[in-house]
Amino acid sequence: MRGKLLLWGALLLPANSLATDIEREAEYARFVGEQLESGEVIRIDAENKKFLAIYTETPQPDNTNAAILLHDKDGYPDQKPLIHSLRTTLPHHQWATLSVQVPVREKGAHNSDYISLFPELISRLKAANEYLKDKKIENIVLIGHGLGALMALYAETKLKEQFKAIVAISLPVMDETIQLEYQTVELLKKIEIPVLDIYGGLDRPEIIITANKRRLAAKENKGYRQDRLEFEKTHSPDDEKLIVKRAYSWLRRQNYDNLEQ
């Protein structure tokens, strides 16, 4: 573990990085190097820029399924509780995970401030996809939380036929003043692969009140499903467990190779 810490402590991203906060990414990398207890810390090259990711294998040696995880804004690839739970639980249900560091802005930045980072995210996802293909992974899905869910939708419209499905957790709807290509409703109209749109009855108000808009936008997609999960209280320790279970149960029903029914 100390070797990982030294490696990531030396991590520096190029000065010409599009807009990501270099210092924050390096800080997250050092933290992950100190705290990680399972999975493998790796660096993936995207257009000559290294970014942090965590790869967690399944117990099955011939596994051909993997989920790329995209955390919410102001987060990192082992963010607790949800991303960490997805990252460590899915491999026990025949889904390896590759949790990537999403480009970040300064603290306090709004969702709309992240739009300038979307092109950089695309280059990272291309590299992440190649990394998994090199491991003979055939079925790759995207699982995003919050802003990461919106990024997953955007990525699918730009990287057609790269991913088999999307699990979008607490999917936000951007302000209508934002360009159409970044608006959730417009993105959902374009997506043809299966999408699971999960949100909670105690989610942020803007996510709850736009649920119907999202569902109507995806009406032509026969693989779209929207699930509202009800929890007994806010921040229940079982919330993430229910979300993770719903995600892997839905993925199992998509009938990918090597998944037990």
Side-chain angles (χ1 to χ4, degrees), residues 27-40:
E27 182 179 323
Y28 288 141
R30 287 191 293 270
F31 178 77
V32 169
E34 292 174 340
Q35 302 294 322
L36 194 71
E37 296 181 353
S38 65
E40 178 186 2

Side-chain angles (χ1 to χ4, degrees), residues 8 50 68 75 77 80 103 126 129 134 137 139 142 151 174 176 178 196-197 207 212-214 218 221 245 249:
W8 285 102
K50 300 286 187 180
I68 296 176
K80 293 181 179 179
K126 286 181 180 178
N129 191 68
D134 287 344
I137 300 293
N139 302 312
L142 292 173
M151 288 179 165
M174 298 292 276
E176 293 182 356
I178 299 298
L196 176 61
D197 179 355
I207 293 173
N212 191 51
K213 281 186 178 181
R214 301 196 304 273
N221 184 349
K245 182 177 181 180
S249 297

Side-chain angles (χ1 to χ4, degrees), residues 190-250:
K190 299 176 183 178
I191 292 175
E192 299 177 353
I193 62 173
V195 175
L196 176 61
D197 179 355
I198 303 178
Y199 71 105
L202 294 172
D203 229 319
R204 295 193 297 274
E206 63 269 23
I207 293 173
I208 296 174
I209 64 176
T210 57
N212 191 51
K213 281 186 178 181
R214 301 196 304 273
R215 187 170 59 254
L216 289 175
K219 65 182 179 180
E220 300 299 326
N221 184 349
K222 294 181 180 180
Y224 174 87
R225 174 172 176 169
Q226 186 177 87
D227 279 356
R228 172 170 170 150
L229 306 182
E230 300 295 346
F231 306 117
E232 293 184 2
K233 58 183 179 179
T234 306
H235 303 308
S236 165
D238 292 325
D239 286 3
E240 71 273 10
K241 295 178 183 179
L242 180 57
I243 293 170
V244 173
K245 182 177 181 180
R246 189 62 55 91
Y248 69 66
S249 297
W250 180 80

